[in-house]
Amino acid sequence: MLRNILTAYFACASAVLAAPTATCDRDFLKSQTAAYIAAQAAGKADGLKASSSVAYTQNFKTTSLATGILATPLRIDGNRSTYDTTQCATFTELITTQTGNTHVIGTQMRFTDGALSKMETIVTSTGDWLFNPANTLKYAQQESWTEIPEAKRDTRAVIQAAADAYLDLFNDKSVKVPWGNPCARLEGGSYIQPSCNVGVPSGIKNTNRRYVVDEVLGSCDVFFTFGGAEPDTHEFRVENGKLRYVHTMTVMKLGTSQRREPTGFSPSTTLSFTLQFLKFIVPHRTILNTGNTTNFHPIGSLQSHGPGSNHSRFADPRPLTTGCKNQAIIMQVTDGHVDEGQDGPAAAATTAATEDVTAAVDCPPSRPASAPAPLPPPPAYAGPDMHLVFDCSPLPLLLLSPSCTITRASHRFLADWHVSADECLGQQVDIFLKKHLDPTSIDPARYILNAIDNAVASRSERTSKSVPAKTNRSCTARVIPIFNHDQLIAISLEWHERPPELLQGGELVQPGLSTDEAFRILVQALKDYAIFLLDTSGHIATWNTGAQLLKGYTRDEIIGKHFSIFYGKEDLDIKKPEKELDICLREGRVEDEGWRYKKDGSRFWANVIITAIYKDGVHVGFGKVTRDLTERKASESRLIAAYEESEKLKSDFLANMSHEIRTPMHGMLSACSLLMDTQLTERQRDIIGIMDESGQVLLQVINDILDYSKLASGSFSVTSDVIGVTSIITSVVRSVQTTLKPAVHFELFLAPNLPKSVQGDPLRYRQIVQNIIGNAAKFTDKGSIRVRVSVQAVDLESFTVLTEVTDTGIGIPEDAAAILFTPFTQFDVTTTKRYKGTGLGLSIAKSLVELMGGRIGYRPNPERHGSIFWFTARFKKIKSLGQIQDWKQDGSGADRSPMPLPSTDMADIQAELAHAATRKTLLLVEDNVINQKVMLGMLRSIGFKNIDLASDGVEAVSMVRGKPVGYDLVLMDINMPVLDGHEASRQIRNAGIHVPIVAMTAYALKGDRERCLEYGMNDYVPKPVDKKYLIKTLARWLISTRDYRKPPWENGADSPMKATEAVKVPPTVVEVMSHHQYDDDYLSR
């Protein structure tokens, strides 16, 4: 117990004494790593703030800053650093691909009292384990080592434990390593993903570990001695407690005579480690003692098969001498590859560069060398010598070690490439290729190396691009990586000659791929598309890389599953996957967009194309291509939302402008109307007439702009009603005749076959006719205006009515005819122009005609100067009186609907209303003082005496509730302070009071009428209020509608049943046309 306490005490004391006293934060450490990188680039250590006693090691050998790698200027192509503020230490990874001076360097620096006190550097270069700085740089740049959000960071203990677990696995296979998914391992130039759990050698202890831990980056770098012999650094990125990235650097030059022997590392230990290491690299191979031979031979001595032979057979497998206790074994090693025999009667003869590794061993009993025993006969089942098979292959073959060293070459390869075994065996494949490929091409060896990298990473065969050889030919290499479980043991290159090819700009022109090659490359290389095959029942048969990235399933997890696994519950309930396959079989393909689900349960918006696949006319399955369009869907949703918001803002703006302009217009025009009813002199009447006419023109301009805005936004619609074409035409003609110049006469021709009644939109039709005929009157000073209306076409369902307006006016310039119906088009834009207007009339007419299923056009008047404007409109037929009655009943369920007015002229309606007005009491709700005066004057001029006034909605509700049956009608303004007209009407209706409420509003956009109905109003009068229209509206509700305070049978019905039947009349609310001119026949129904 005391011993444990003392141990803990001294450990704590040592930690306290070792702790830095100066401030050590990330900014300080970043400045020091920046200084180190600059010093390495310059080849000078002057910029480092080092203590006088700084300890410096390079590859675990003590040296000085002035003589180590730091004294060599290097071009730094890539660098990354981590910062341990707890230990005041850093780790920096440097990569240089500078020709003739390539390195990958790892450096740990430790600081005391603000100065560099210890610096350890591991320098890997050509010949080291899997060294390839170009690939290291490429793969490192693809990774993300960004700072981890504070809430998601792991503790130092968790990060270091993950690193220790990985390193402990080399000696103890029972260690549980927190593998991440995905996880990538960058080992020299080899990049393995999406799993790092691809195997490590066994029985290797990784000792003397020094850590740099950065919780911000989730990083832990470890300097240690690999297998007790080799300088090594492993850096780990840990995310959520799992390994995400692993970077390794190992100084391991097994194939050179300059191999470093660490202090205290005995030859027997070297042999032990080497055997364990090679067991990992080349498993299932055996190295046995061969006695006092000067070369190491596998399982027996070698017997040559002649000059240049590249294969051997076994001699006696026992030692050649006796008494060999503690004799030296001499083993031949070629760049990480031991040339030793395979299981079976074969052995390899090699002339590659070797190194001697000795170990004292005990020899088994032997016999004299002078008495060699004959070879035992092979067993009956023995196969051919595999080395002989390799050498005699008709294909040019190379066999590489995992570090890409050439370990074997077939006779055909040596002959085709005109090289000897001595010239290629033991060479790095990239160095060999650079010597024997055409130097006029730009680095052709990179194609082979890329194919090797891809083959190892994917653990499947790859074929390189064509490379030009010096022998006036080009060839490709089929790369086959050979794994034993998770361990790469060899790489086979199978060479295929191609016809000579041209060079363009130093690059070999590649021939076209075969169909199979192109298909395989297409399917496997596309990562943005999930491409896979289904069998005839919809089960997944293939799986490409894009599918794995998009959907999250590995090939082993998904093959054999039904593709409905990607669909949501709603789609499964309606059997959408099965329906898609049925449609695909019928039509050959099916395309769909919708939500699909990943392995983790998240969903994405997918575009899916399924195609039926046939072979020799037999259905064999389906091809399915899926693309992730989630971002596009989100962008569309944002655009739609923005568009809807902008439309709402525009509608609100137009409504507000309509109200703000129409409110004063209402006061002005209504005041003019009141003045016209008083005793005026001729001069006064002319002035009032000018004011009224100017106001009407201004109102027309406002209406044109509002109509165009509604048409441009697509919010304009037409209604279905029963109309008389003849009555509308004659009504418009009568109104226009009053505006004709004295020298103009009017002609109207109505075809005798015009239908008396059709179904369409009377207000929009009248607006078109008014616009065309009004323009003719406006631009014609003398001559004639001829209006001709006829039936152009008839079918079972409809009439197409043609209206032509011919005038002798100013005409249309020939160059302006093409833009005649363009918005805001005017042919006279000078400041002295005679004809005023907005230039919107014809554009609005064109849009309305198209809404009514017709066309509009122009042609010059062939008889004389002038124009002919024509348009067609399509109206539905009314086939029976029952159809009219059905239309009348549509939407008319309220028992307070007005009865039809008799077809009388305006004077009769006004006289009848004036007679009834003396007995009626009205409530006028209006907040504008001017409009109050104008409306009171207009109502009194009609004959009303009993008029109450409310200034806002609250006052109106209070007055109606105070006299529930005291008012015959309420005229309700919409836009008011305190409580608007909509809410006031709702409260009146909620109180159970059924007094007729007529809205008065300066709003004139689509939806205003419907909104009034929704709040319980009965009718709608737009501002500026037209006195004639107001008279007709009041007459409908005060004369033609039964009194809401009396039961139905007191309003002329003999019984409640007849009273119910009596109220089945057309809709009560008249849609307001923008220019407020109405058809008398329509209003009288």
Side-chain angles (χ1 to χ4, degrees), residues 635-648:
S635 299
E636 289 176 353
S637 299
R638 289 192 294 269
L639 287 174
I640 292 172
Y643 172 77
E644 291 175 347
E645 179 65 18
S646 66
E647 286 299 308
K648 181 180 182 301

Side-chain angles (χ1 to χ4, degrees), residues 521-557:
I521 293 172
L522 172 67
V523 172
Q524 294 299 329
L526 286 178
K527 296 183 179 180
D528 293 333
Y529 292 83
I531 304 175
F532 51 96
L533 298 178
L534 309 177
D535 63 18
T536 55
S537 60
H539 292 87
I540 298 167
T542 66
W543 197 245
N544 81 325
T545 303
Q548 180 171 342
L549 293 174
L550 176 59
K551 298 178 183 288
Y553 293 93
T554 64
R555 176 184 175 86
D556 294 337
E557 292 172 329

Side-chain angles (χ1 to χ4, degrees), residues 467-484:
V467 292
K470 289 183 178 179
T471 54
N472 194 29
R473 73 183 192 282
S474 64
C475 53
T476 61
R478 181 171 175 241
V479 183
I480 304 173
I482 302 171
F483 284 82
N484 178 31

Side-chain angles (χ1 to χ4, degrees), residues 835-1052:
Y835 303 102
K836 311 297 181 183
T838 61
L840 290 172
L842 289 177
S843 174
I844 293 172
K846 179 176 183 294
S847 299
L848 292 176
V849 165
E850 292 173 350
L851 284 175
M852 298 183 69
R855 298 184 300 128
I856 191 170
Y858 155 82
R859 62 179 182 272
N861 187 344
E863 299 178 0
R864 53 191 301 184
H865 195 270
S867 306
I868 299 177
F869 282 88
W870 59 269
F871 73 92
T872 61
R874 188 171 179 269
F875 300 101
K876 292 183 179 180
K877 287 184 177 181
I878 298 176
K879 298 182 179 180
S880 65
L881 293 177
Q883 184 178 349
I884 298 177
Q885 186 64 23
D886 291 342
W887 172 83
K888 288 180 177 181
Q889 293 178 7
D890 183 26
S892 64
D895 59 0
R896 299 184 310 280
S897 300
M899 297 294 289
L901 285 172
S903 298
T904 55
D905 59 24
M906 191 64 202
D908 293 339
I909 296 175
Q910 186 171 357
E912 187 175 357
L913 180 60
H915 177 72
T918 58
R919 306 187 304 273
K920 304 295 183 180
T921 300
L922 304 183
L923 174 62
L924 174 64
V925 187
E926 172 65 65
D927 66 302
N928 187 281
V929 176
I930 295 175
N931 289 342
Q932 287 177 359
K933 294 178 180 180
V934 170
M935 284 303 300
L936 286 172
M938 188 176 293
L939 291 172
R940 285 174 181 151
S941 70
I942 295 173
F944 291 96
K945 305 299 181 184
N946 303 317
I947 306 172
D948 290 344
L949 181 64
S951 298
D952 57 57
V954 173
E955 187 177 353
V957 173
S958 177
M959 294 175 69
V960 173
R961 285 178 175 175
K963 299 166 61 174
V965 293
Y967 296 107
D968 295 280
L969 184 139
V970 177
L971 287 169
M972 181 77 73
D973 188 23
I974 297 299
N975 191 28
M976 295 183 294
V978 185
L979 189 70
D980 63 26
H982 289 146
E983 189 59 35
S985 299
R986 183 193 296 277
Q987 293 186 18
I988 291 172
R989 293 300 184 230
N990 291 341
I993 302 172
H994 302 293
V995 61
I997 303 175
V998 176
M1000 293 190 309
T1001 180
Y1003 292 108
L1005 296 181
K1006 176 179 172 59
D1008 292 333
R1009 182 197 67 180
E1010 291 78 2
R1011 195 173 299 110
C1012 292
L1013 292 178
E1014 290 173 3
Y1015 283 93
M1017 298 180 180
N1018 300 88
D1019 214 331
Y1020 177 99
V1021 175
K1023 293 180 181 179
V1025 174
D1026 180 79
K1027 185 176 180 181
K1028 293 181 180 180
Y1029 182 62
L1030 177 63
I1031 289 172
K1032 291 182 179 182
T1033 302
L1034 294 176
R1036 280 202 306 275
W1037 290 100
L1038 296 177
I1039 298 175
S1040 303
T1041 307
R1042 71 173 179 81
D1043 193 335
Y1044 72 95
R1045 292 163 289 199
K1046 298 179 181 180
W1049 52 86
E1050 294 186 17
N1051 286 274

